[in-house]
């Protein structure tokens, strides 16, 4: 799956993933009105509003980017109805030729991680048949439980040609509370990074591994060190844009081949029309505003990488 | 919510939580046959089999125990249909007067953790209405992202009188890979334990906090230290039974008031009929085997605690 991602990044010239993290406050009034008039102010109505919002954005940006990253929490908050729209979004993005990174941050003891891996990347056995539950291409994984919590994901990645991104150094302000603590003189995130490199060896694509890492754009110095520590790991970089990461911060996350990282922006793209810079589009044309924001992000990153 | 859990533990005399972690291989053939004959060998058929299994177990043990802990991964593996049965299980257990601990191990950056907290413990705003997505009483939370990833859960706990259990030292074999690493001479799990104690101060019940901790029965020595480090935190103790933890290992997880811990068993209870010890019940009477296994566990723990 990493080969497929690399190929799409080369084709689009955009090492960019758009985070489909819809909150109702991002959804324009006319879409909410439409959804609520059909289903009422219900969980189903909210989910429908999210779906209408996602679909129009996907339709307007899918030719520009290699991948999307739906954040499952934003759907899970609406219960079953929200998760139905998560699944519909995953399926629709795949139909449109996009690589789908499910931002699920799951991780548990072995037998439980296996169930998550099967549900999101693999197929579950039901009698004589096998079914996909959610069927993303990649998912994000939390490493706190150690190797036996990650191994079942890697097993399924091998079987199904899928991939994972393991949380190494997250983009949030308090990520350092545990991740930066020194162990034998080195921060915890470096030990996790070393494990990612090791886990990745058994699950290689052509140039990069199907086991990647999450490292926040908000921590470029750490990104520089981790880039060297995990030379074959693709780095998923959240925190660009709304969280404060800038194009110039990103250069260290990439390898000399110009690959090795994919930068996420969520709010900055999907709620672009709410920013002053794109206000001219108006709420009716929110998806064109998203398209403009993708083009601007592409230029910002290309500039930073000296292309 | 912790007061409610304590009250139910006192009433039943059983500091026990039964893990509702159904795998199809635990479900007796006659239930699978019934579910598949109605819905085919489909995800819906599998979910129905799980539901029939859960319901009969719950009906047979609900008077003996204070709480259940459905592991959401085991439902999520069946996609939407599985999650519908997760929700049905949560609702049914609450109807039966059980405290429900959703074993979801979520955790993300602030705004995303907020969505998980709302979806599982709180209510989401849809226009002028508010709805519960899953509505468990407690959930488990992964601390890898630090305070700002946990804070939104605590906020919702305060608003809704709910609770959380934060992963401190997990029961799996490789939990030590990161959790045991020494930081200033002390293992990471102790630092996390200290944070749990600190987070819990702002969310107290009468004697215990609504912010508890997960510490595996498989690590009794660590449990002893953590018990002292987090005197007001209830400890959710997985790893008893099938994972190898014994009654005698559990004594250190409790306080002198005989409270402060709740011990989980999953397979050991729900798949009891598959063990030699309970084989006499047969697959038809699987739920009576579960009842016997609960009674035996209760006795084992009472014996260990010298009651």
């Amino acid at each position: 799956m990493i080969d497929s991602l690399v190929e799409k990044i080369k084709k689009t010239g955009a090492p960019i993933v758009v985070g489909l993290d819809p909150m109702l406050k991002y959804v324009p009034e006319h879409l909410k009105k439409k959804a609520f008039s059909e289903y009422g102010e219900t969980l189903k109505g909210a989910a429908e509003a999210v779906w209408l919002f996602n679909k129009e954005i996907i339709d307007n940006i899918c030719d520009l980017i290699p991948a999307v990253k739906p954040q499952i929490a934003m759907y899970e908050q609406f219960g079953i109805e929200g998760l139905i729209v998560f699944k519909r979004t995953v399926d629709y993005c795949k139909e449109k030729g996009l690589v789908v990174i499910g931002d699920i941050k799951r991780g548990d003891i072995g037998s439980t991680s296996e169930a998550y891996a099967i549900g999101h990347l693999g197929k579950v056995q039901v009698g004589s048949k096998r079914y996909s539950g959610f069927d993303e291409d990649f998912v994000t994984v939390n490493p706190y439980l150690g190797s036996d919590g990650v191994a079942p994901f890697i097993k399924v990645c091998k079987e199904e040609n899928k991939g994972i991104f393991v949380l190494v150094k997250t983009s949030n302000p308090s990520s350092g509370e545990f991740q930066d603590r020194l162990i034998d003189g080195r921060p915890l995130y470096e030990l996790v990074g070393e494990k990612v490199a090791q886990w990745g060896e058994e699950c290689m694509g052509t140039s990069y591994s199907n086991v990647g890492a999450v490292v926040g754009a908000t921590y470029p110095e750490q990104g520089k060190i981790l880039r060297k520590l995990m030379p074959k790991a693709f780095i998923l970089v959240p925190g660009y844009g709304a969280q404060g990461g800038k194009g110039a911060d990103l250069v260290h996350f990439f390898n000399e081949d110009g690959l090795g990282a994919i930068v996420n922006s969520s709010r900055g793209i999907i709620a672009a029309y709410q920013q002053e810079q794109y206000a001219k589009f108006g709420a009716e044309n929110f998806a064109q505003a998203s398209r403009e924001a993708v083009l601007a992000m592409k230029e910002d990153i290309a500039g930073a990488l000296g292309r």
Side-chain angles (χ1 to χ4, degrees), chain A:
Chain A
M1 189 46 70
I2 191 68
D3 286 352
S4 175
L5 180 61
V6 167
E7 187 200 317
K8 284 178 203 288
I9 289 173
K10 285 181 179 168
K11 197 173 149 196
T12 54
I16 289 174
V17 51
V18 172
L20 297 174
D21 308 1
M23 297 174 85
L24 279 184
K25 67 184 177 188
Y26 303 157
V27 178
E29 287 305 321
H30 70 282
L31 292 186
K32 280 190 272 203
K33 204 173 156 187
K34 189 176 173 192
F36 292 164
S37 75
E38 192 161 5
Y39 298 108
E41 287 181 350
T42 60
L43 291 173
K44 196 177 174 84
E48 175 69 10
V50 164
W51 164 246
L52 296 173
F53 180 64
N54 280 356
K55 183 174 182 301
E56 199 164 332
I57 291 174
I58 296 160
D59 287 342
N60 274 271
I61 65 173
C62 63
D63 60 316
L64 301 178
I65 55 169
V68 290
K69 180 173 76 61
Q71 166 53 262
I72 200 169
M74 297 306 169
Y75 304 83
E76 210 165 310
Q77 69 180 327
F78 299 112
I80 300 296
E81 296 296 341
L83 288 160
I84 289 172
V85 164
F86 174 80
K87 169 94 178 97
R88 191 178 300 161
T89 300
V90 170
D91 291 347
Y92 188 69
C93 290
K94 288 173 74 172
E95 264 174 58
K96 290 282 177 180
L98 294 163
V99 169
V100 177
I101 303 168
D103 197 353
I104 65 172
K105 295 190 178 64
R106 304 300 196 245
D108 209 299
I109 66 167
S111 54
T112 307
S113 272
E114 191 182 345
Y116 280 130
I118 284 172
H120 286 276
L121 298 175
K123 294 188 185 72
V124 68
Q125 191 81 38
V126 180
S128 59
K129 309 262 177 66
R130 299 179 80 219
Y131 296 97
S132 293
F134 290 100
D135 208 19
E136 298 102 306
D137 297 314
F138 287 84
V139 294
T140 54
V141 172
N142 186 309
Y144 189 68
L145 286 89
S147 290
D148 63 28
V150 177
F153 285 97
I154 296 176
K155 181 168 172 280
V156 172
C157 285
K158 284 187 202 167
E159 289 166 2
E160 304 280 344
N161 184 29
K162 300 273 178 115
I164 57 172
F165 292 97
V166 179
L167 305 188
V168 174
K169 171 68 182 168
T170 55
S171 59
N172 57 313
S174 70
S175 72
E177 203 166 280
F178 304 123
Q179 296 166 26
D180 288 4
R181 298 303 300 262
L182 296 182
I183 293 160
D184 299 334
R186 298 170 63 208
L188 174 59
Y189 63 75
E190 284 193 25
L191 305 193
V192 178
E194 277 181 353
K195 280 285 173 190
V196 167
Q198 190 183 315
W199 295 328
E201 280 169 18
E202 48 168 319
C203 202
M204 283 296 295
T206 306
S207 305
Y208 285 93
S209 172
N210 283 299
V211 179
V214 175
V215 184
T218 40
Y219 299 103
E221 287 307 312
Q222 289 87 331
K224 195 173 177 175
I225 292 159
L226 288 163
R227 177 66 286 167
K228 285 181 187 148
L229 210 59
M230 318 175 292
K232 299 293 183 193
F234 233 77
I235 302 180
L236 171 61
V237 188
Y240 173 89
Q243 285 184 56
K246 291 179 181 56
D249 296 332
L250 298 172
V251 60
H252 303 307
F253 294 85
F254 288 84
N255 275 322
E256 287 179 6
D257 59 3
L259 290 168
I262 184 160
V263 182
N264 180 77
S265 179
S266 301
R267 256 175 298 176
I269 305 293
I270 66 173
Y273 78 101
Q274 294 180 338
Q275 298 165 37
E276 207 184 315
Q277 195 182 349
Y278 301 106
K280 62 184 180 206
F281 287 95
E284 284 287 335
N285 301 309
F286 69 97
Q288 281 98 304
S290 295
R291 187 175 176 87
E292 282 301 307
V294 169
L295 291 168
M297 179 177 173
K298 195 171 157 179
E299 201 173 325
D300 182 36
I301 293 177
L305 296 180
R307 286 183 193 156

